[in-house]
Amino acid sequence: ITREEARVSKDVEKRLLRSKVELDWLQRKVRPMVKVLKHIIKDKAIDPDVTRYLEDIEDHLNTWLEEVSRIMGVCHSLRDEVNSYRDRQQQKVLYVLTLVTTLIMPTHLLTGIFGMNWQDADGKPVVPGLGVMEESRGYYLFWGLAFSLTTLIWLTF
């Protein structure tokens, strides 16, 4: 993931979370007003025109509360999408890292085997299973095995 994409996605996630918190706060502040309006509407001492007006306000507040709930759901959904995008990017990076590590592993193994200081009875360097290593033969044998094993792993991956 590039640094810019990571920074942008974190900023977007923070803004979405902040928006959701603010909407939740507004929703908590408006809900009691609806209850107060219902109580006032039930009062018989109020003029019928005012009652209709208050009922209209109650309808608008209920509609507003439903809309705020829907928008909060959208914020939650968008936050999930941002997290999903970030997870997919991390999976791509981990796949490449795993692939590179797997392709380099045969070279590390061969370096370890060729680097061991084994000698035969005559004092010549020996690699178990590959025989005596001379300068003319060892270099090509190392790179030939490394390339062959890496190619084999690449084809089976």
Side-chain angles (χ1 to χ4, degrees):
I1 301 176
T2 64
R3 290 180 190 213
E4 187 66 24
E5 285 177 341
R7 186 183 61 75
V8 168
S9 67
K10 284 186 179 183
D11 289 345
V12 167
E13 185 178 6
K14 284 180 183 177
R15 281 187 279 164
L16 286 170
L17 184 60
R18 189 177 329 118
S19 297
K20 185 178 176 197
V21 168
E22 288 175 5
L23 287 169
D24 185 46
W25 181 83
L26 280 172
Q27 198 175 36
R28 281 186 283 123
K29 296 300 177 187
V30 170
R31 279 209 176 122
M33 289 182 202
V34 173
K35 290 180 182 178
V36 169
L37 274 175
K38 284 182 182 181
H39 182 70
I40 294 173
I41 290 171
K42 290 180 183 176
D43 190 2
K44 300 293 182 194
I46 297 179
D47 187 55
D49 289 336
V50 174
T51 302
R52 272 194 305 261
Y53 178 72
L54 292 175
E55 286 172 348
D56 190 39
I57 291 174
E58 180 190 12
D59 288 341
H60 285 295
L61 283 176
N62 284 328
T63 303
W64 185 83
L65 286 171
E66 289 172 8
E67 194 66 23
V68 166
S69 294
R70 188 188 65 77
I71 292 171
M72 285 173 55
V74 169
C75 285
H76 184 71
S77 176
L78 288 173
R79 218 174 112 225
D80 288 344
E81 286 295 320
V82 168
N83 286 334
S84 175
Y85 172 76
R86 191 180 308 133
D87 289 344
R88 282 192 308 271
Q89 292 300 102
Q90 285 178 344
Q91 287 174 357
K92 288 178 185 178
V93 169
L94 287 175
Y95 175 77
V96 170
L97 182 65
T98 302
L99 185 64
V100 168
T101 301
T102 304
L103 292 176
I104 291 176
M105 198 179 328
T107 310
H108 286 283
L109 175 69
L110 289 174
T111 301
I113 291 173
F114 275 72
M116 292 182 187
N117 294 323
W118 289 339
Q119 295 179 353
D120 64 359
D122 297 332
K124 293 183 181 177
V126 175
V127 175
L130 298 176
V132 176
M133 289 293 115
E134 298 170 353
E135 283 186 44
S136 61
R137 181 172 170 250
Y139 181 79
Y140 296 111
L141 186 60
F142 174 83
W143 285 110
L145 281 172
F147 182 74
S148 300
L149 288 172
T150 302
T151 304
L152 179 68
I153 288 174
W154 176 263
L155 293 174
T156 56
F157 211 122

